């Protein structure tokens, strides 16, 4: 993988890094999920919407147990009613944060820590 992640590790952030890099989007995301939060371009953070949510924005999920961001992925589509469709790696059909593939899921803004944008706006 593009972040040098070994086999058997959680890879949600590595997936985000790889996808952005494959599209030519500069980013400093590593295999560590907290690096997916782009503090320089915040769309949504802890209940506060700052900009319109767009496809390819990056979401993060906070874990109280770990006391940090523990999962990340992409917004595919914002449905406008407090939910969005995501595309995320290292999950499964049951919604695990430690899964077997890339899946689309329905996520709630109320359970989302942040949504940030890595793609430069025109």
């Amino acid at each position: 993988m593009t972040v040098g992640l070994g086999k058997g590790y959680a890879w949600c952030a590595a997936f985000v890094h790889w996808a952005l890099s494959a599209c030519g989007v500069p980013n400093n995301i590593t295999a560590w999920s907290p690096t997916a939060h782009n503090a320089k371009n915040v769309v949504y953070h802890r209940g506060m919407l700052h900009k319109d949510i767009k496809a390819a924005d990056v979401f993060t999920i906070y874990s109280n147990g770990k006391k940090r961001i523990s999962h990340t992925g992409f917004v595919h589509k914002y449905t406008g009613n407090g939910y969005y469709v995501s595309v995320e790696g290292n999950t499964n059909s049951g919604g695990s944060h430690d899964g077997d593939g890339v899946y689309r899921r329905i996520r709630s803004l109320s359970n989302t820590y942040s949504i940030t944008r890595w793609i430069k706006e025109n």
Side-chain angles (χ1 to χ4, degrees):
M1 290 208 99
T2 58
V3 296
L5 186 65
K7 193 172 186 173
Y9 289 93
W11 50 273
C12 59
F15 169 71
V16 172
H17 170 82
W18 170 81
L20 289 172
S21 295
C23 293
V25 177
N27 69 87
N28 57 357
I29 299 170
T30 68
W32 196 46
S33 55
T35 63
H37 174 84
N38 182 5
K40 294 179 181 176
N41 198 351
V42 175
V43 174
Y44 170 89
H45 187 243
R46 297 179 130 185
M48 297 289 296
L49 187 62
H50 301 279
K51 301 177 184 183
D52 289 337
I53 298 169
K54 297 181 179 179
D57 286 344
V58 174
F59 75 86
T60 63
I61 304 293
Y62 189 89
S63 166
N64 288 325
K66 292 182 179 182
K67 295 185 169 112
R68 66 170 174 83
I69 292 170
S70 63
H71 189 63
T72 186
F74 290 100
V75 171
H76 173 69
K77 179 182 178 183
Y78 181 57
T79 62
N81 60 357
Y83 292 88
Y84 58 97
V85 178
S86 68
V87 175
E88 52 197 88
N90 198 43
T91 190
N92 62 25
S93 60
S96 171
H97 290 240
D98 196 21
D100 60 7
V102 176
Y103 291 82
R104 277 193 215 181
R105 302 203 40 227
I106 304 293
R107 292 249 178 216
S108 167
L109 282 178
S110 64
N111 293 325
T112 300
Y113 178 75
S114 70
I115 297 175
T116 60
R117 189 163 296 147
W118 288 90
I119 297 173
K120 289 190 180 190
E121 300 172 80
N122 295 331

